Amino acid sequence: MPLVRWLLALTLACTVGLSAPARADDISATGRGVVRVVTIAIVDDEVVGFGHGSGVAVAPNRIVTNAHVVELLAKYPGNVVVGIVPSEGSKSYQGRVIAVDVAHDLALIEFTGTRLPTVALYTGPIEEGSMVTALGYPGNVDLATAKSAADYIHPLAPIRSEGVFSGRRQMTGTDVLLHTAQIARGNSGGPLLDPCGRVVGINSAITRGDEGDSSFAFAIANTEVAAFLNKAKQAYVAIGTPCTSIADIEKIDQAADAEASALVDATKREAASKAVLAREAARVAARDAADRHRENIMGLAVLLLVLGAMAVGTGGLLDAQALRREAIWAWVLGALVMAGAIVLFVLRPTGAPVLPEAVAAARQPSAPPVSSTAPLGKMLCRFVPERSRVVSSTTQDVTIDWGEAGCMNGRAQYAENGSKWDRILVPSEEQTVSVLQFDPATRGYTNARYFLSAEQMDDLRKIRSTVKLKACSPDEAGRANLATQQAAIRTALPARPNERIVYACTAAE
């Protein structure tokens, strides 16, 4: 029986071939966390029920879908196999339902065997008329393209359809989003996304288009999804910042970097100007002191000259009084004093004054330029939302320890990129490449994240395997080689990242 063989293949996670790589945009990046959910009920070796829908990963091994996608579990308890078919790779996996909310049509499925890219839930306001995209596996497409039962467990990228958000509604006591993105049976449980690829709802139902009426779709609202996950004690990534294009964020970030660099340059110029003024004031003060000293010496020389002359005159008076001995002493003393006055006058200070050490130190700016290789110590880096584009990452502040010559936190070596320092992370399991950059001059720290396909990650991991320098090293040649290897990785990345998270760092207390 073909379905039994299909069931066996599903439960054993058989190899079925690779899917084509998805596009490197936000929606396709989210699509790597979208799965096909298949349920098969079998009683006494006979298939008695079949269900098919979509789901989205809120954790590496947890899937959110509709409760009605797994409704066979209630009808045939203990006789239903739940299959999870990722959008990439070569295998399917068996899952189990760990939480169900029938009233709000939501379910949580756990599986093992692989890790999926996690999708974020958007918790901010949604404006009517804004663009939305539905991702999933519509059954009518499967009917038109599937050649055998095995095609239902073949990893394929989900189908996307676009529309607009038409407003919030209540449906059987559940908050739902009304939208115009085309969905069909099989899309149930799949995500409804904003332009940044964040989940705003879980597609659940469509209106009937009788007699030419336009059809609309309903998605379980993000508020209901968040409440369900909280009740199930399932952690998830929640993003509330508005969706902004990476191009606009880069313009804002470049302007902010230019402003920060200009501020640094202005600080340097101000310090240099203050040093010049201090040096000139010190020189004037030293010149005035030297002039006063010279004038004092000249005054003393004149005084000694007068005293010497008076002594000589006194000798003449003593000689007239026949006090020859006393007269001689007076003449000798007068001559010595006058000679001393002449010597003092001749040796008086002349020329430029000698600047003291404190004045010479003023020749250097009080705030010297920051060396790009100098250690800065521990710093608290605060998230800057207006300069960031966040799709699925957390945004807590981070603490770093910037050591000498690009040593981050005492263990990771960064490579020079002009006056900045870069480190590119290519993880072994996740499908995200992070380009970390630190600017010692502006104290700016950024994390540019690229969400890539499995095939792209495999190619980048091959390049990463050539990188030998990982721990901190004072070897300049090793850092230069690291920069060259990272440039090869950067060349293989898309033109723009999916996320750009910016931090402003200050010295930690």
Side-chain angles (χ1 to χ4, degrees):
M1 182 184 297
L3 284 177
V4 173
R5 289 198 298 271
W6 175 27
L7 173 60
L8 180 62
L10 181 61
T11 56
L12 293 179
C14 68
T15 301
V16 292
L18 293 171
S19 61
R23 287 181 288 170
D25 64 345
D26 293 324
I27 304 300
S28 292
T30 298
R32 297 176 194 119
V34 175
V35 301
R36 187 197 298 269
V37 179
V38 179
T39 58
I40 302 175
I42 184 167
V43 178
D44 297 331
D45 294 329
E46 182 178 355
V47 175
V48 295
F50 168 73
H52 164 233
S54 305
V56 61
V58 292
N61 65 332
R62 298 282 176 88
I63 300 296
V64 166
T65 186
N66 286 141
H68 74 259
V69 170
V70 293
E71 60 187 358
L72 282 178
L73 290 169
K75 189 174 181 181
Y76 302 100
N79 294 291
V80 177
V81 174
V82 178
I84 301 298
V85 187
S87 61
E88 291 185 315
S90 59
K91 294 181 179 180
S92 302
Y93 304 89
Q94 187 171 350
R96 66 185 184 94
V97 176
I98 59 175
V100 178
D101 185 344
V102 176
H104 297 95
D105 198 17
L106 291 170
L108 185 64
I109 302 173
E110 183 180 62
F111 68 98
T112 58
T114 190
R115 294 173 60 87
L116 294 180
T118 300
V119 177
L121 182 67
Y122 176 63
T123 57
I126 310 171
E127 295 184 3
E128 291 190 14
S130 58
M131 295 297 299
V132 290
T133 301
L135 285 183
Y137 295 91
N140 51 7
V141 174
D142 291 325
L143 291 174
T145 60
K147 299 180 179 64
S148 67
D151 288 331
Y152 283 86
I153 59 169
H154 183 87
L156 290 172
I159 304 299
R160 68 166 71 186
S161 60
E162 297 179 345
V164 297
F165 169 59
S166 302
R168 289 181 180 266
R169 296 290 188 274
Q170 281 284 321
M171 187 168 64
T172 63
T174 300
D175 190 15
V176 297
L177 308 180
L178 183 65
H179 64 89
T180 62
Q182 294 296 311
I183 63 174
R185 283 177 293 181
N187 277 106
S188 293
L192 184 69
L193 309 174
D194 72 356
C196 282
R198 303 173 298 191
V199 177
V200 297
I202 299 297
N203 287 309
S204 178
I206 57 175
T207 62
R208 296 179 60 181
D210 295 334
E211 298 181 358
D213 292 340
S214 298
S215 62
F216 288 84
F218 296 97
I220 308 299
N222 47 6
T223 51
E224 300 283 9
V225 178
F228 169 71
L229 293 175
N230 290 332
K231 185 177 180 180
K233 294 181 171 53
Q234 173 60 53
Y236 60 94
V237 178
I239 305 296
T241 55
C243 180
T244 308
S245 73
I246 192 66
D248 290 340
I249 286 297
E250 286 180 343
K251 289 180 182 178
I252 295 172
D253 199 46
Q254 289 170 1
D257 277 344
E259 183 178 353
S261 298
L263 181 60
V264 171
D265 292 340
T267 302
K268 292 179 182 178
R269 289 194 298 270
E270 182 180 1
S273 178
K274 288 181 178 179
V276 171
L277 293 176
R279 187 169 65 251
E280 187 60 30
R283 181 178 288 110
V284 170
R287 184 181 297 111
D288 291 343
D291 289 343
R292 287 194 300 272
H293 181 60
R294 184 170 57 250
E295 290 172 358
N296 291 338
I297 295 297
M298 292 176 63
L300 179 60
V302 170
L303 177 60
L304 292 176
L305 186 62
V306 171
L307 292 176
M310 292 176 63
V312 172
T314 301
L317 292 175
L318 293 173
D319 185 58
Q321 296 175 6
L323 298 173
R324 184 68 179 176
R325 186 181 186 86
E326 289 78 0
I328 292 173
W329 279 108
W331 287 334
V332 171
L333 178 61
L336 291 174
V337 172
M338 293 178 68
I342 294 172
V343 171
L344 194 61
F345 180 81
V346 171
L347 297 180
R348 71 188 185 280
T350 59
V354 178
L355 300 181
E357 292 183 3
V359 176
R363 295 178 183 273
Q364 300 299 325
S366 58
V370 176
S371 170
S372 63
T373 60
L376 298 176
K378 291 186 177 180
M379 289 182 286
L380 175 63
C381 300
R382 293 182 171 85
F383 171 62
V384 184
E386 61 273 14
R387 295 177 57 187
S388 302
R389 183 180 196 258
V390 183
V391 175
S392 63
S393 298
T394 57
T395 56
Q396 297 98 329
D397 298 339
V398 298
T399 301
I400 65 173
D401 188 350
W402 187 252
E404 186 176 0
C407 179
M408 174 68 83
N409 297 329
R411 59 180 183 271
Q413 181 63 56
Y414 280 48
E416 289 98 331
N417 182 3
S419 61
K420 302 177 182 180
W421 295 78
D422 291 350
R423 182 73 189 193
I424 302 180
L425 305 181
V426 184
S428 298
E429 295 184 355
E430 298 179 11
Q431 290 185 217
T432 301
V433 172
S434 295
V435 179
L436 305 174
Q437 185 174 85
F438 180 69
D439 186 346
T442 63
R443 307 295 200 274
Y445 184 51
T446 61
N447 182 359
R449 306 182 77 230
Y450 298 78
F451 305 148
L452 304 177
S453 68
E455 183 177 345
Q456 289 172 310
M457 291 300 300
D458 287 341
D459 292 339
L460 289 170
R461 287 175 187 131
K462 293 176 183 177
I463 302 176
R464 183 202 59 184
S465 65
T466 65
V467 177
K468 304 302 181 184
L469 182 61
K470 297 179 181 179
C472 294
S473 171
D475 181 20
E476 292 186 11
R479 296 202 306 269
N481 187 44
L482 174 62
T484 301
Q485 292 164 334
Q486 291 193 151
I489 296 176
R490 193 187 296 272
T491 301
L493 293 173
R496 284 194 169 101
N498 298 91
E499 282 189 329
R500 183 175 176 83
I501 306 173
V502 180
Y503 302 87
C505 304
T506 55
E509 296 181 0

